[in-house]
């Protein structure tokens, strides 16, 4: 698997986790429909299955995934929640992205 495919898989995995959690938030805090819980369960099952599709050792996958998740969550904050990230948000996510990139590259050695 190429590093681009790996990164894409990480992003899809992160989106599945974020959507699953977001649907619970909608149900609890915004009086969303009960069907949101079914969607949440499906999304979180997809998330768990996607974690098994990564080719590297699980510890390295989880560490690198955490970085991609953080970057994806910040994008979600901006695009879905319509909250503009601060300069410190950008500095933090940039630092995390650099570390994540090192982990992803090391999984191809």
């Amino acid at each position: 698997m190429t590093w681009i495919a790996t990164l894409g898989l990480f992003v899809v995995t992160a989106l599945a986790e974020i959507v699953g959690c977001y649907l619970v938030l909608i149900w609890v805090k915004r009086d969303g429909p009960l069907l949101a819980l079914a969607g949440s369960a499906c999304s979180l099952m997809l998330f768990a299955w996607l974690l098994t599709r990564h080719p590297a050792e699980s510890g390295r996958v989880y560490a690198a995934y955490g970085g991609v998740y953080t970057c994806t969550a910040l994008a979600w904050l901006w695009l879905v929640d319509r909250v503009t990230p601060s300069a410190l948000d950008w500095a933090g996510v940039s630092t995390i992205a650099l570390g994540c990139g090192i982990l992803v590259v090391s999984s191809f050695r």
Side-chain angles (χ1 to χ4, degrees):
M1 183 179 280
T2 67
W3 71 269
I4 292 174
T6 299
L7 181 61
L9 183 57
F10 276 133
V11 170
V12 171
T13 303
L15 285 172
E17 183 178 10
I18 291 170
V19 167
C21 295
Y22 191 72
L23 288 172
V24 172
L25 179 122
I26 287 172
W27 181 70
V28 171
K29 294 199 172 191
R30 299 182 185 160
D31 295 323
L34 190 58
L35 191 56
L37 291 181
S40 173
C42 290
S43 187
L44 291 172
M45 284 189 287
L46 176 63
F47 156 70
W49 179 78
L50 287 168
L51 279 179
T52 70
R53 305 291 91 198
H54 294 271
E57 300 80 13
S58 61
R60 184 172 287 135
V61 166
Y62 298 148
Y65 169 72
V68 173
Y69 176 85
T70 305
C71 296
T72 305
L74 190 65
W76 184 276
L77 173 74
W78 192 13
L79 299 172
V80 176
D81 291 333
R82 303 279 188 222
V83 175
T84 303
S86 70
L88 288 175
D89 291 331
W90 288 115
V93 82
S94 297
T95 303
I96 290 167
L98 177 63
C100 176
I102 292 167
L103 286 167
V104 169
V105 168
S106 73
S107 69
F108 289 100
R109 301 187 120 205

